[in-house]
Amino acid sequence: MGLFDKLKEKIAPQEPTLMEEIPKAEAWLKENMERFGQPLDGTHESFAVLDVFFEEQCKPGGLLAGKVRYMKNQLFAVGAYVGQVLVNELGGTWVTDDKAREGEALIGVQLPDGRMARPVQRAIRCFNREPGYTFVDFWDIVSNPPKPREEAEETPLEAETSEEGVPQESEAETPKAKGKRKLFGRREKSEE
């Protein structure tokens, strides 16, 4: 590290990494859900609590009624909580990219079988009340490895397509899946 790098670091301290932000966001969510009377116990059984909370609070007048761009921190916190449950219960590993503009939305949990679960993307879909997207269903998908190709007719991950029949990105994708959706950026200067 050169003299200018040291000087630059003193003048402009480093932004926390996503790995540093994940446990803080998870703790924030647990604390606030406790205050709301909906405690989360850190297990996949609490995903049902999140589903009920989203169902009730995404309605007009609810705490979550609003546009996704105003809910970035909250949805990141939900994703951090859900992802940490996957890490704890399934033995997954966090995967982050601090350089990606949309890094918060793309945090993932690498599952032992190689699939990548995207908990913030699931939180966004639940927030948007997309049919068929719940946290309980997410657990069912990520906790049950797909059957070998010759035995499987179609897994829930392969079945996700748009109305035009174009495959859509899934929150739990295979290591070979390509392309990342831009949902929101970490270092955006202004909102659209």
Side-chain angles (χ1 to χ4, degrees):
M1 181 180 279
L3 176 62
F4 290 112
D5 292 329
K6 289 180 182 179
L7 198 64
K8 183 179 170 184
E9 191 173 290
K10 286 183 181 184
I11 293 172
Q14 291 285 20
E15 186 176 317
T17 66
L18 288 168
M19 286 302 293
E20 293 168 338
E21 292 176 4
I22 289 170
K24 293 175 189 174
E26 177 195 12
W28 177 88
L29 180 72
K30 288 169 113 177
E31 179 182 320
N32 283 285
M33 290 294 287
E34 179 78 32
R35 282 189 208 161
F36 190 72
Q38 300 289 324
L40 300 174
D41 64 5
T43 68
H44 73 274
E45 286 90 1
S46 64
F47 290 178
V49 173
L50 286 174
D51 284 335
V52 170
F53 182 78
F54 269 65
E55 179 69 32
E56 293 172 353
Q57 298 303 321
C58 285
K59 293 177 183 173
L63 294 173
L64 302 177
K67 298 189 183 216
V68 71
R69 68 179 174 191
Y70 301 115
M71 300 298 295
K72 292 177 188 177
N73 293 335
Q74 293 87 342
L75 294 173
F76 177 77
V78 172
Y81 174 79
V82 170
Q84 192 58 49
V85 170
L86 300 182
V87 168
N88 295 341
E89 293 194 17
L90 299 177
T93 306
W94 280 108
V95 176
T96 64
D97 184 356
D98 289 305
K99 294 178 182 174
R101 182 168 179 238
E102 64 283 347
E104 295 98 336
L106 296 175
I107 63 171
V109 175
Q110 183 82 44
L111 300 171
D113 65 6
R115 293 177 299 150
M116 181 69 70
R118 303 278 183 196
V120 174
Q121 289 182 12
R122 176 55 63 139
I124 291 167
R125 287 180 164 154
C126 290
F127 173 79
N128 289 331
R129 306 304 306 148
E130 291 184 30
Y133 285 93
T134 66
F135 295 107
V136 170
D137 288 341
F138 188 55
W139 171 258
D140 289 341
I141 292 169
V142 298
S143 66
N144 295 305
K147 296 176 186 173
R149 273 259 185 240
E150 53 276 356
E151 293 177 24
E153 291 179 24
E154 186 175 87
T155 68
L157 300 177
E158 295 168 339
E160 296 181 26
T161 58
S162 67
E163 290 179 9
E164 298 83 31
V166 178
Q168 293 186 359
E169 181 177 347
S170 171
E171 301 95 35
E173 56 193 35
T174 64
K176 295 180 182 176
K178 294 183 180 178
K180 294 183 179 181
R181 185 196 324 205
K182 293 182 180 181
L183 295 172
F184 48 83
R186 232 175 138 201
R187 295 174 180 86
E188 286 183 338
K189 301 275 190 233
S190 62
E191 302 265 76
E192 292 183 349

